[in-house]
mmCIF file of all heavy atoms in Angstrom:
data_model
loop_
_atom_site.group_PDB
_atom_site.id
_atom_site.type_symbol
_atom_site.label_atom_id
_atom_site.label_comp_id
_atom_site.label_asym_id
_atom_site.label_seq_id
_atom_site.Cartn_x
_atom_site.Cartn_y
_atom_site.Cartn_z
ATOM 1 N N CYS A 100 117.805 218.178 72.838
ATOM 2 C CA CYS A 100 118.702 217.311 73.600
ATOM 3 C C CYS A 100 119.202 218.038 74.841
ATOM 4 O O CYS A 100 119.494 219.227 74.806
ATOM 5 C CB CYS A 100 119.904 216.892 72.756
ATOM 6 S SG CYS A 100 119.456 215.829 71.387
ATOM 7 N N THR A 101 119.305 217.317 75.932
ATOM 8 C CA THR A 101 119.766 217.884 77.188
ATOM 9 C C THR A 101 120.994 217.126 77.662
ATOM 10 O O THR A 101 121.018 215.901 77.645
ATOM 11 C CB THR A 101 118.654 217.774 78.257
ATOM 12 O OG1 THR A 101 117.481 218.434 77.775
ATOM 13 C CG2 THR A 101 119.079 218.403 79.561
ATOM 14 N N GLN A 105 127.588 215.309 85.618
ATOM 15 C CA GLN A 105 128.032 213.961 85.978
ATOM 16 C C GLN A 105 127.900 213.668 87.462
ATOM 17 O O GLN A 105 127.945 212.517 87.868
ATOM 18 C CB GLN A 105 129.479 213.756 85.529
ATOM 19 C CG GLN A 105 129.625 213.747 84.028
ATOM 20 C CD GLN A 105 131.061 213.502 83.592
ATOM 21 O OE1 GLN A 105 131.973 213.526 84.388
ATOM 22 N NE2 GLN A 105 131.237 213.258 82.314
ATOM 23 N N GLU A 117 115.922 224.538 90.703
ATOM 24 C CA GLU A 117 114.838 224.714 89.728
ATOM 25 C C GLU A 117 115.307 224.553 88.279
ATOM 26 O O GLU A 117 115.135 225.441 87.448
ATOM 27 C CB GLU A 117 114.173 226.078 89.910
ATOM 28 C CG GLU A 117 113.489 226.242 91.238
ATOM 29 C CD GLU A 117 112.833 227.597 91.414
ATOM 30 O OE1 GLU A 117 112.935 228.444 90.506
ATOM 31 O OE2 GLU A 117 112.228 227.804 92.468
ATOM 32 N N SER A 126 116.408 199.997 89.258
ATOM 33 C CA SER A 126 116.370 199.092 88.097
ATOM 34 C C SER A 126 116.941 199.764 86.839
ATOM 35 O O SER A 126 116.765 199.281 85.733
ATOM 36 C CB SER A 126 114.941 198.621 87.843
ATOM 37 O OG SER A 126 114.102 199.720 87.600
ATOM 38 N N GLY A 140 106.746 220.330 102.483
ATOM 39 C CA GLY A 140 107.583 219.228 102.929
ATOM 40 C C GLY A 140 107.582 218.004 102.023
ATOM 41 O O GLY A 140 108.206 217.000 102.339
ATOM 42 N N GLY A 144 107.887 216.118 91.143
ATOM 43 C CA GLY A 144 108.537 216.357 89.861
ATOM 44 C C GLY A 144 107.502 216.816 88.859
ATOM 45 O O GLY A 144 106.406 216.261 88.791
ATOM 46 N N PHE A 164 96.264 219.669 92.425
ATOM 47 C CA PHE A 164 97.221 220.762 92.504
ATOM 48 C C PHE A 164 97.159 221.561 91.214
ATOM 49 O O PHE A 164 97.051 220.996 90.136
ATOM 50 C CB PHE A 164 98.664 220.227 92.628
ATOM 51 C CG PHE A 164 99.047 219.869 94.039
ATOM 52 C CD1 PHE A 164 99.142 218.538 94.406
ATOM 53 C CD2 PHE A 164 99.341 220.843 94.957
ATOM 54 C CE1 PHE A 164 99.520 218.194 95.690
ATOM 55 C CE2 PHE A 164 99.712 220.511 96.236
ATOM 56 C CZ PHE A 164 99.806 219.184 96.609
ATOM 57 N N SER A 165 97.201 222.880 91.323
ATOM 58 C CA SER A 165 97.284 223.672 90.098
ATOM 59 C C SER A 165 98.747 223.662 89.654
ATOM 60 O O SER A 165 99.638 223.992 90.418
ATOM 61 C CB SER A 165 96.805 225.096 90.348
ATOM 62 O OG SER A 165 97.601 225.716 91.321
ATOM 63 N N THR A 166 98.961 223.215 88.443
ATOM 64 C CA THR A 166 100.314 223.157 87.907
ATOM 65 C C THR A 166 100.383 223.995 86.648
ATOM 66 O O THR A 166 99.384 224.528 86.176
ATOM 67 C CB THR A 166 100.711 221.708 87.558
ATOM 68 O OG1 THR A 166 99.828 221.232 86.553
ATOM 69 C CG2 THR A 166 100.674 220.806 88.765
ATOM 70 N N LYS A 177 106.620 208.766 96.754
ATOM 71 C CA LYS A 177 106.127 207.405 96.498
ATOM 72 C C LYS A 177 106.956 206.716 95.421
ATOM 73 O O LYS A 177 106.493 205.777 94.782
ATOM 74 C CB LYS A 177 104.663 207.472 96.031
ATOM 75 C CG LYS A 177 103.728 208.072 97.039
ATOM 76 C CD LYS A 177 102.326 208.144 96.493
ATOM 77 C CE LYS A 177 101.380 208.747 97.508
ATOM 78 N NZ LYS A 177 100.020 208.845 96.996
ATOM 79 N N GLU A 179 110.844 205.234 94.238
ATOM 80 C CA GLU A 179 112.167 204.786 94.687
ATOM 81 C C GLU A 179 113.202 205.104 93.608
ATOM 82 O O GLU A 179 113.026 204.748 92.451
ATOM 83 C CB GLU A 179 112.150 203.278 94.949
ATOM 84 C CG GLU A 179 113.411 202.777 95.605
ATOM 85 C CD GLU A 179 113.343 201.283 95.889
ATOM 86 O OE1 GLU A 179 112.233 200.729 95.952
ATOM 87 O OE2 GLU A 179 114.410 200.693 96.018
ATOM 88 N N LEU A 197 127.046 224.291 68.595
ATOM 89 C CA LEU A 197 127.946 223.545 67.720
ATOM 90 C C LEU A 197 127.162 222.840 66.626
ATOM 91 O O LEU A 197 127.537 222.869 65.448
ATOM 92 C CB LEU A 197 128.753 222.529 68.535
ATOM 93 C CG LEU A 197 129.740 221.666 67.772
ATOM 94 C CD1 LEU A 197 130.827 222.526 67.150
ATOM 95 C CD2 LEU A 197 130.351 220.625 68.693
ATOM 96 N N GLU A 217 127.643 225.135 38.785
ATOM 97 C CA GLU A 217 126.796 225.747 37.752
ATOM 98 C C GLU A 217 127.557 226.821 36.989
ATOM 99 O O GLU A 217 127.464 226.922 35.772
ATOM 100 C CB GLU A 217 125.539 226.353 38.381
ATOM 101 C CG GLU A 217 124.530 225.340 38.824
ATOM 102 C CD GLU A 217 123.935 224.564 37.658
ATOM 103 O OE1 GLU A 217 123.614 225.174 36.621
ATOM 104 O OE2 GLU A 217 123.824 223.337 37.788
#
Side-chain angles (χ1 to χ4, degrees):
C100 293
T101 303
Q105 293 182 349
E117 296 180 358
S126 59
F164 277 106
S165 60
T166 62
K177 299 178 180 179
E179 188 178 339
L197 180 63
E217 287 295 317

